[in-house]
Amino acid sequence: MRVRTITAFFFVAVVLASILLSVYLFAIFFMLLSVYCLSEFYRIIADSAGTPQRLLGLSAGAALFGLYTGYCLGWVPLNYLMLIVPLVSAIFIAPLYKKQEKPFIGIAYTLLGIVYVILPFASFLSLGFLSDVYDYRIPLGFILILWANDTGAYLVGKLFGKHRLFERISPKKTWEGFVGGVLLALITSMVLAYYFPQLAQWQWLVMALIIALFGTFGDLVESMLKRSQQVKDSGAVLPGHGGLLDRFDGLLLAGPAVLAFLLTVL
């Protein structure tokens, strides 16, 4: 428990510092984080059916996130994102030089990782650039609401959980925990609305509901992935907590959903 607590403290401090201290630190940290999470995904998904092209996939993911970051910072024109095309093409070409019974499974695994991991992190990055200049408050609010949802679900589920939410995929999750997560996420969003008025209160509340719903599904989807591959944790980089993908699984579905909502209403 002590190791888990210490790890959580430093993990929270690093994430918050990356968002608050500098736009460049924010961009670099989440680019490295997304690529590392992609590496964990490739490790999990590889099996006898197919193996992702790890190096090409990580290169394409890093290039895509880096180019998009450059676009957000105003350094790279939008059409430069097309520079990713040669790497994507290479993912299809490389299996021609390997003896694989079903090469397209490996191709699918490689591209799925980019869609499942890199694009959601890029969506989260976009939350800091909804205005003309970098504004830390929306990505910070997103992370705080996401953590509040996880905390509320864990505490309420542990104390009062009786009715299983999705027993086949995650036996420990309960409906009581889900409700507890939603309530704490809503309370957190109301506090954020008071201190960060660039979003209306109703927008913060809807954002909290989206994060609670899609964050829960994101957690379940990653649990489905691990269960199908008979893996307990995505990694061991965080002592007592597993891998980084385990800690950001809720972001993978909630990030694009929140970005879509805010782009619609702002």
mmCIF file with all atom_site columns, all heavy atoms in Angstrom, residues 4-24:
data_model
loop_
_atom_site.group_PDB
_atom_site.id
_atom_site.type_symbol
_atom_site.label_atom_id
_atom_site.label_alt_id
_atom_site.label_comp_id
_atom_site.label_asym_id
_atom_site.label_entity_id
_atom_site.label_seq_id
_atom_site.pdbx_PDB_ins_code
_atom_site.Cartn_x
_atom_site.Cartn_y
_atom_site.Cartn_z
_atom_site.occupancy
_atom_site.B_iso_or_equiv
_atom_site.pdbx_formal_charge
_atom_site.auth_seq_id
_atom_site.auth_comp_id
_atom_site.auth_asym_id
_atom_site.auth_atom_id
_atom_site.pdbx_PDB_model_num
ATOM 1   N N   . ARG A 1 4  ? 2.251  1.853  -3.442  1.00 0.00 ? 4  ARG A N   1
ATOM 2   C CA  . ARG A 1 4  ? 1.171  2.306  -4.309  1.00 0.00 ? 4  ARG A CA  1
ATOM 3   C C   . ARG A 1 4  ? 0.864  3.783  -4.063  1.00 0.00 ? 4  ARG A C   1
ATOM 4   O O   . ARG A 1 4  ? 0.656  4.554  -5.005  1.00 0.00 ? 4  ARG A O   1
ATOM 5   C CB  . ARG A 1 4  ? -0.075 1.449  -4.051  1.00 0.00 ? 4  ARG A CB  1
ATOM 6   C CG  . ARG A 1 4  ? -1.268 1.795  -4.936  1.00 0.00 ? 4  ARG A CG  1
ATOM 7   C CD  . ARG A 1 4  ? -2.460 0.908  -4.605  1.00 0.00 ? 4  ARG A CD  1
ATOM 8   N NE  . ARG A 1 4  ? -3.623 1.274  -5.381  1.00 0.00 ? 4  ARG A NE  1
ATOM 9   C CZ  . ARG A 1 4  ? -3.917 0.778  -6.567  1.00 0.00 ? 4  ARG A CZ  1
ATOM 10  N NH1 . ARG A 1 4  ? -3.109 -0.121 -7.110  1.00 0.00 ? 4  ARG A NH1 1
ATOM 11  N NH2 . ARG A 1 4  ? -4.994 1.152  -7.219  1.00 0.00 ? 4  ARG A NH2 1
ATOM 12  N N   . THR A 1 5  ? 0.844  4.200  -2.792  1.00 0.00 ? 5  THR A N   1
ATOM 13  C CA  . THR A 1 5  ? 0.552  5.589  -2.448  1.00 0.00 ? 5  THR A CA  1
ATOM 14  C C   . THR A 1 5  ? 1.646  6.531  -2.939  1.00 0.00 ? 5  THR A C   1
ATOM 15  O O   . THR A 1 5  ? 1.363  7.597  -3.505  1.00 0.00 ? 5  THR A O   1
ATOM 16  C CB  . THR A 1 5  ? 0.389  5.735  -0.922  1.00 0.00 ? 5  THR A CB  1
ATOM 17  O OG1 . THR A 1 5  ? -0.660 4.873  -0.487  1.00 0.00 ? 5  THR A OG1 1
ATOM 18  C CG2 . THR A 1 5  ? 0.043  7.180  -0.563  1.00 0.00 ? 5  THR A CG2 1
ATOM 19  N N   . ILE A 1 6  ? 2.903  6.147  -2.730  1.00 0.00 ? 6  ILE A N   1
ATOM 20  C CA  . ILE A 1 6  ? 4.025  6.974  -3.177  1.00 0.00 ? 6  ILE A CA  1
ATOM 21  C C   . ILE A 1 6  ? 4.021  7.110  -4.701  1.00 0.00 ? 6  ILE A C   1
ATOM 22  O O   . ILE A 1 6  ? 4.218  8.203  -5.251  1.00 0.00 ? 6  ILE A O   1
ATOM 23  C CB  . ILE A 1 6  ? 5.364  6.380  -2.687  1.00 0.00 ? 6  ILE A CB  1
ATOM 24  C CG1 . ILE A 1 6  ? 5.440  6.463  -1.162  1.00 0.00 ? 6  ILE A CG1 1
ATOM 25  C CG2 . ILE A 1 6  ? 6.545  7.107  -3.322  1.00 0.00 ? 6  ILE A CG2 1
ATOM 26  C CD1 . ILE A 1 6  ? 6.657  5.753  -0.580  1.00 0.00 ? 6  ILE A CD1 1
ATOM 27  N N   . THR A 1 7  ? 3.783  5.998  -5.384  1.00 0.00 ? 7  THR A N   1
ATOM 28  C CA  . THR A 1 7  ? 3.719  6.030  -6.852  1.00 0.00 ? 7  THR A CA  1
ATOM 29  C C   . THR A 1 7  ? 2.612  6.954  -7.329  1.00 0.00 ? 7  THR A C   1
ATOM 30  O O   . THR A 1 7  ? 2.809  7.760  -8.252  1.00 0.00 ? 7  THR A O   1
ATOM 31  C CB  . THR A 1 7  ? 3.487  4.611  -7.405  1.00 0.00 ? 7  THR A CB  1
ATOM 32  O OG1 . THR A 1 7  ? 4.541  3.752  -6.983  1.00 0.00 ? 7  THR A OG1 1
ATOM 33  C CG2 . THR A 1 7  ? 3.438  4.636  -8.922  1.00 0.00 ? 7  THR A CG2 1
ATOM 34  N N   . ALA A 1 8  ? 1.440  6.854  -6.699  1.00 0.00 ? 8  ALA A N   1
ATOM 35  C CA  . ALA A 1 8  ? 0.308  7.692  -7.087  1.00 0.00 ? 8  ALA A CA  1
ATOM 36  C C   . ALA A 1 8  ? 0.617  9.163  -6.879  1.00 0.00 ? 8  ALA A C   1
ATOM 37  O O   . ALA A 1 8  ? 0.272  10.014 -7.714  1.00 0.00 ? 8  ALA A O   1
ATOM 38  C CB  . ALA A 1 8  ? -0.935 7.296  -6.285  1.00 0.00 ? 8  ALA A CB  1
ATOM 39  N N   . PHE A 1 9  ? 1.282  9.498  -5.768  1.00 0.00 ? 9  PHE A N   1
ATOM 40  C CA  . PHE A 1 9  ? 1.622  10.892 -5.479  1.00 0.00 ? 9  PHE A CA  1
ATOM 41  C C   . PHE A 1 9  ? 2.526  11.479 -6.556  1.00 0.00 ? 9  PHE A C   1
ATOM 42  O O   . PHE A 1 9  ? 2.262  12.565 -7.089  1.00 0.00 ? 9  PHE A O   1
ATOM 43  C CB  . PHE A 1 9  ? 2.315  10.984 -4.116  1.00 0.00 ? 9  PHE A CB  1
ATOM 44  C CG  . PHE A 1 9  ? 2.824  12.353 -3.792  1.00 0.00 ? 9  PHE A CG  1
ATOM 45  C CD1 . PHE A 1 9  ? 1.969  13.345 -3.330  1.00 0.00 ? 9  PHE A CD1 1
ATOM 46  C CD2 . PHE A 1 9  ? 4.174  12.666 -3.972  1.00 0.00 ? 9  PHE A CD2 1
ATOM 47  C CE1 . PHE A 1 9  ? 2.444  14.618 -3.053  1.00 0.00 ? 9  PHE A CE1 1
ATOM 48  C CE2 . PHE A 1 9  ? 4.657  13.929 -3.689  1.00 0.00 ? 9  PHE A CE2 1
ATOM 49  C CZ  . PHE A 1 9  ? 3.791  14.915 -3.232  1.00 0.00 ? 9  PHE A CZ  1
ATOM 50  N N   . PHE A 1 10 ? 3.598  10.769 -6.890  1.00 0.00 ? 10 PHE A N   1
ATOM 51  C CA  . PHE A 1 10 ? 4.527  11.281 -7.896  1.00 0.00 ? 10 PHE A CA  1
ATOM 52  C C   . PHE A 1 10 ? 3.901  11.290 -9.287  1.00 0.00 ? 10 PHE A C   1
ATOM 53  O O   . PHE A 1 10 ? 4.148  12.202 -10.088 1.00 0.00 ? 10 PHE A O   1
ATOM 54  C CB  . PHE A 1 10 ? 5.812  10.449 -7.895  1.00 0.00 ? 10 PHE A CB  1
ATOM 55  C CG  . PHE A 1 10 ? 6.747  10.795 -6.777  1.00 0.00 ? 10 PHE A CG  1
ATOM 56  C CD1 . PHE A 1 10 ? 6.855  9.989  -5.655  1.00 0.00 ? 10 PHE A CD1 1
ATOM 57  C CD2 . PHE A 1 10 ? 7.505  11.960 -6.832  1.00 0.00 ? 10 PHE A CD2 1
ATOM 58  C CE1 . PHE A 1 10 ? 7.705  10.316 -4.618  1.00 0.00 ? 10 PHE A CE1 1
ATOM 59  C CE2 . PHE A 1 10 ? 8.364  12.291 -5.796  1.00 0.00 ? 10 PHE A CE2 1
ATOM 60  C CZ  . PHE A 1 10 ? 8.467  11.476 -4.680  1.00 0.00 ? 10 PHE A CZ  1
ATOM 61  N N   . PHE A 1 11 ? 3.073  10.296 -9.567  1.00 0.00 ? 11 PHE A N   1
ATOM 62  C CA  . PHE A 1 11 ? 2.395  10.245 -10.863 1.00 0.00 ? 11 PHE A CA  1
ATOM 63  C C   . PHE A 1 11 ? 1.476  11.451 -11.036 1.00 0.00 ? 11 PHE A C   1
ATOM 64  O O   . PHE A 1 11 ? 1.501  12.136 -12.065 1.00 0.00 ? 11 PHE A O   1
ATOM 65  C CB  . PHE A 1 11 ? 1.599  8.944  -10.968 1.00 0.00 ? 11 PHE A CB  1
ATOM 66  C CG  . PHE A 1 11 ? 0.739  8.845  -12.188 1.00 0.00 ? 11 PHE A CG  1
ATOM 67  C CD1 . PHE A 1 11 ? 1.309  8.654  -13.442 1.00 0.00 ? 11 PHE A CD1 1
ATOM 68  C CD2 . PHE A 1 11 ? -0.637 8.936  -12.096 1.00 0.00 ? 11 PHE A CD2 1
ATOM 69  C CE1 . PHE A 1 11 ? 0.513  8.567  -14.575 1.00 0.00 ? 11 PHE A CE1 1
ATOM 70  C CE2 . PHE A 1 11 ? -1.438 8.850  -13.219 1.00 0.00 ? 11 PHE A CE2 1
ATOM 71  C CZ  . PHE A 1 11 ? -0.861 8.657  -14.464 1.00 0.00 ? 11 PHE A CZ  1
ATOM 72  N N   . VAL A 1 12 ? 0.667  11.751 -10.024 1.00 0.00 ? 12 VAL A N   1
ATOM 73  C CA  . VAL A 1 12 ? -0.236 12.903 -10.073 1.00 0.00 ? 12 VAL A CA  1
ATOM 74  C C   . VAL A 1 12 ? 0.563  14.196 -10.206 1.00 0.00 ? 12 VAL A C   1
ATOM 75  O O   . VAL A 1 12 ? 0.212  15.084 -11.002 1.00 0.00 ? 12 VAL A O   1
ATOM 76  C CB  . VAL A 1 12 ? -1.123 12.944 -8.812  1.00 0.00 ? 12 VAL A CB  1
ATOM 77  C CG1 . VAL A 1 12 ? -1.855 14.277 -8.709  1.00 0.00 ? 12 VAL A CG1 1
ATOM 78  C CG2 . VAL A 1 12 ? -2.120 11.794 -8.838  1.00 0.00 ? 12 VAL A CG2 1
ATOM 79  N N   . ALA A 1 13 ? 1.663  14.314 -9.452  1.00 0.00 ? 13 ALA A N   1
ATOM 80  C CA  . ALA A 1 13 ? 2.479  15.524 -9.494  1.00 0.00 ? 13 ALA A CA  1
ATOM 81  C C   . ALA A 1 13 ? 3.060  15.750 -10.884 1.00 0.00 ? 13 ALA A C   1
ATOM 82  O O   . ALA A 1 13 ? 3.055  16.879 -11.403 1.00 0.00 ? 13 ALA A O   1
ATOM 83  C CB  . ALA A 1 13 ? 3.604  15.427 -8.462  1.00 0.00 ? 13 ALA A CB  1
ATOM 84  N N   . VAL A 1 14 ? 3.542  14.691 -11.518 1.00 0.00 ? 14 VAL A N   1
ATOM 85  C CA  . VAL A 1 14 ? 4.144  14.815 -12.845 1.00 0.00 ? 14 VAL A CA  1
ATOM 86  C C   . VAL A 1 14 ? 3.095  15.206 -13.885 1.00 0.00 ? 14 VAL A C   1
ATOM 87  O O   . VAL A 1 14 ? 3.328  16.084 -14.728 1.00 0.00 ? 14 VAL A O   1
ATOM 88  C CB  . VAL A 1 14 ? 4.840  13.494 -13.249 1.00 0.00 ? 14 VAL A CB  1
ATOM 89  C CG1 . VAL A 1 14 ? 5.243  13.515 -14.716 1.00 0.00 ? 14 VAL A CG1 1
ATOM 90  C CG2 . VAL A 1 14 ? 6.070  13.267 -12.377 1.00 0.00 ? 14 VAL A CG2 1
ATOM 91  N N   . VAL A 1 15 ? 1.932  14.559 -13.837 1.00 0.00 ? 15 VAL A N   1
ATOM 92  C CA  . VAL A 1 15 ? 0.877  14.867 -14.805 1.00 0.00 ? 15 VAL A CA  1
ATOM 93  C C   . VAL A 1 15 ? 0.413  16.318 -14.657 1.00 0.00 ? 15 VAL A C   1
ATOM 94  O O   . VAL A 1 15 ? 0.297  17.050 -15.648 1.00 0.00 ? 15 VAL A O   1
ATOM 95  C CB  . VAL A 1 15 ? -0.313 13.899 -14.649 1.00 0.00 ? 15 VAL A CB  1
ATOM 96  C CG1 . VAL A 1 15 ? -1.474 14.340 -15.538 1.00 0.00 ? 15 VAL A CG1 1
ATOM 97  C CG2 . VAL A 1 15 ? 0.106  12.479 -14.993 1.00 0.00 ? 15 VAL A CG2 1
ATOM 98  N N   . LEU A 1 16 ? 0.165  16.744 -13.431 1.00 0.00 ? 16 LEU A N   1
ATOM 99  C CA  . LEU A 1 16 ? -0.296 18.119 -13.205 1.00 0.00 ? 16 LEU A CA  1
ATOM 100 C C   . LEU A 1 16 ? 0.776  19.129 -13.602 1.00 0.00 ? 16 LEU A C   1
ATOM 101 O O   . LEU A 1 16 ? 0.465  20.169 -14.202 1.00 0.00 ? 16 LEU A O   1
ATOM 102 C CB  . LEU A 1 16 ? -0.686 18.304 -11.742 1.00 0.00 ? 16 LEU A CB  1
ATOM 103 C CG  . LEU A 1 16 ? -1.900 17.502 -11.260 1.00 0.00 ? 16 LEU A CG  1
ATOM 104 C CD1 . LEU A 1 16 ? -2.187 17.819 -9.795  1.00 0.00 ? 16 LEU A CD1 1
ATOM 105 C CD2 . LEU A 1 16 ? -3.122 17.788 -12.115 1.00 0.00 ? 16 LEU A CD2 1
ATOM 106 N N   . ALA A 1 17 ? 2.027  18.840 -13.291 1.00 0.00 ? 17 ALA A N   1
ATOM 107 C CA  . ALA A 1 17 ? 3.111  19.751 -13.654 1.00 0.00 ? 17 ALA A CA  1
ATOM 108 C C   . ALA A 1 17 ? 3.214  19.895 -15.168 1.00 0.00 ? 17 ALA A C   1
ATOM 109 O O   . ALA A 1 17 ? 3.441  21.003 -15.682 1.00 0.00 ? 17 ALA A O   1
ATOM 110 C CB  . ALA A 1 17 ? 4.435  19.255 -13.070 1.00 0.00 ? 17 ALA A CB  1
ATOM 111 N N   . SER A 1 18 ? 3.039  18.803 -15.884 1.00 0.00 ? 18 SER A N   1
ATOM 112 C CA  . SER A 1 18 ? 3.137  18.862 -17.350 1.00 0.00 ? 18 SER A CA  1
ATOM 113 C C   . SER A 1 18 ? 2.055  19.741 -17.954 1.00 0.00 ? 18 SER A C   1
ATOM 114 O O   . SER A 1 18 ? 2.275  20.382 -18.985 1.00 0.00 ? 18 SER A O   1
ATOM 115 C CB  . SER A 1 18 ? 3.052  17.443 -17.934 1.00 0.00 ? 18 SER A CB  1
ATOM 116 O OG  . SER A 1 18 ? 1.735  16.920 -17.815 1.00 0.00 ? 18 SER A OG  1
ATOM 117 N N   . ILE A 1 19 ? 0.894  19.785 -17.327 1.00 0.00 ? 19 ILE A N   1
ATOM 118 C CA  . ILE A 1 19 ? -0.209 20.606 -17.839 1.00 0.00 ? 19 ILE A CA  1
ATOM 119 C C   . ILE A 1 19 ? -0.045 22.060 -17.430 1.00 0.00 ? 19 ILE A C   1
ATOM 120 O O   . ILE A 1 19 ? -0.313 22.982 -18.232 1.00 0.00 ? 19 ILE A O   1
ATOM 121 C CB  . ILE A 1 19 ? -1.556 20.062 -17.327 1.00 0.00 ? 19 ILE A CB  1
ATOM 122 C CG1 . ILE A 1 19 ? -1.799 18.649 -17.857 1.00 0.00 ? 19 ILE A CG1 1
ATOM 123 C CG2 . ILE A 1 19 ? -2.705 20.977 -17.742 1.00 0.00 ? 19 ILE A CG2 1
ATOM 124 C CD1 . ILE A 1 19 ? -3.023 17.970 -17.266 1.00 0.00 ? 19 ILE A CD1 1
ATOM 125 N N   . LEU A 1 20 ? 0.426  22.305 -16.217 1.00 0.00 ? 20 LEU A N   1
ATOM 126 C CA  . LEU A 1 20 ? 0.423  23.654 -15.649 1.00 0.00 ? 20 LEU A CA  1
ATOM 127 C C   . LEU A 1 20 ? 1.655  24.480 -15.993 1.00 0.00 ? 20 LEU A C   1
ATOM 128 O O   . LEU A 1 20 ? 1.557  25.704 -16.148 1.00 0.00 ? 20 LEU A O   1
ATOM 129 C CB  . LEU A 1 20 ? 0.296  23.567 -14.125 1.00 0.00 ? 20 LEU A CB  1
ATOM 130 C CG  . LEU A 1 20 ? -1.041 23.047 -13.579 1.00 0.00 ? 20 LEU A CG  1
ATOM 131 C CD1 . LEU A 1 20 ? -0.929 22.796 -12.083 1.00 0.00 ? 20 LEU A CD1 1
ATOM 132 C CD2 . LEU A 1 20 ? -2.155 24.043 -13.858 1.00 0.00 ? 20 LEU A CD2 1
ATOM 133 N N   . LEU A 1 21 ? 2.807  23.865 -16.116 1.00 0.00 ? 21 LEU A N   1
ATOM 134 C CA  . LEU A 1 21 ? 4.048  24.632 -16.160 1.00 0.00 ? 21 LEU A CA  1
ATOM 135 C C   . LEU A 1 21 ? 4.371  25.236 -17.516 1.00 0.00 ? 21 LEU A C   1
ATOM 136 O O   . LEU A 1 21 ? 4.875  26.362 -17.593 1.00 0.00 ? 21 LEU A O   1
ATOM 137 C CB  . LEU A 1 21 ? 5.215  23.752 -15.692 1.00 0.00 ? 21 LEU A CB  1
ATOM 138 C CG  . LEU A 1 21 ? 5.172  23.309 -14.231 1.00 0.00 ? 21 LEU A CG  1
ATOM 139 C CD1 . LEU A 1 21 ? 6.403  22.481 -13.888 1.00 0.00 ? 21 LEU A CD1 1
ATOM 140 C CD2 . LEU A 1 21 ? 5.075  24.517 -13.308 1.00 0.00 ? 21 LEU A CD2 1
ATOM 141 N N   . SER A 1 22 ? 4.108  24.493 -18.592 1.00 0.00 ? 22 SER A N   1
ATOM 142 C CA  . SER A 1 22 ? 4.537  24.987 -19.904 1.00 0.00 ? 22 SER A CA  1
ATOM 143 C C   . SER A 1 22 ? 3.800  24.258 -21.017 1.00 0.00 ? 22 SER A C   1
ATOM 144 O O   . SER A 1 22 ? 3.561  23.050 -20.923 1.00 0.00 ? 22 SER A O   1
ATOM 145 C CB  . SER A 1 22 ? 6.044  24.779 -20.060 1.00 0.00 ? 22 SER A CB  1
ATOM 146 O OG  . SER A 1 22 ? 6.456  24.900 -21.398 1.00 0.00 ? 22 SER A OG  1
ATOM 147 N N   . VAL A 1 23 ? 3.484  24.979 -22.061 1.00 0.00 ? 23 VAL A N   1
ATOM 148 C CA  . VAL A 1 23 ? 2.845  24.362 -23.216 1.00 0.00 ? 23 VAL A CA  1
ATOM 149 C C   . VAL A 1 23 ? 3.774  23.334 -23.851 1.00 0.00 ? 23 VAL A C   1
ATOM 150 O O   . VAL A 1 23 ? 3.331  22.288 -24.337 1.00 0.00 ? 23 VAL A O   1
ATOM 151 C CB  . VAL A 1 23 ? 2.421  25.432 -24.248 1.00 0.00 ? 23 VAL A CB  1
ATOM 152 C CG1 . VAL A 1 23 ? 3.624  26.224 -24.753 1.00 0.00 ? 23 VAL A CG1 1
ATOM 153 C CG2 . VAL A 1 23 ? 1.700  24.781 -25.422 1.00 0.00 ? 23 VAL A CG2 1
ATOM 154 N N   . TYR A 1 24 ? 5.085  23.607 -23.834 1.00 0.00 ? 24 TYR A N   1
ATOM 155 C CA  . TYR A 1 24 ? 6.036  22.680 -24.441 1.00 0.00 ? 24 TYR A CA  1
ATOM 156 C C   . TYR A 1 24 ? 6.162  21.415 -23.594 1.00 0.00 ? 24 TYR A C   1
ATOM 157 O O   . TYR A 1 24 ? 6.246  20.305 -24.126 1.00 0.00 ? 24 TYR A O   1
ATOM 158 C CB  . TYR A 1 24 ? 7.397  23.363 -24.601 1.00 0.00 ? 24 TYR A CB  1
ATOM 159 C CG  . TYR A 1 24 ? 7.306  24.642 -25.391 1.00 0.00 ? 24 TYR A CG  1
ATOM 160 C CD1 . TYR A 1 24 ? 7.518  25.877 -24.775 1.00 0.00 ? 24 TYR A CD1 1
ATOM 161 C CD2 . TYR A 1 24 ? 6.984  24.627 -26.744 1.00 0.00 ? 24 TYR A CD2 1
ATOM 162 C CE1 . TYR A 1 24 ? 7.415  27.057 -25.498 1.00 0.00 ? 24 TYR A CE1 1
ATOM 163 C CE2 . TYR A 1 24 ? 6.877  25.800 -27.482 1.00 0.00 ? 24 TYR A CE2 1
ATOM 164 C CZ  . TYR A 1 24 ? 7.099  27.014 -26.841 1.00 0.00 ? 24 TYR A CZ  1
ATOM 165 O OH  . TYR A 1 24 ? 6.985  28.171 -27.561 1.00 0.00 ? 24 TYR A OH  1
#
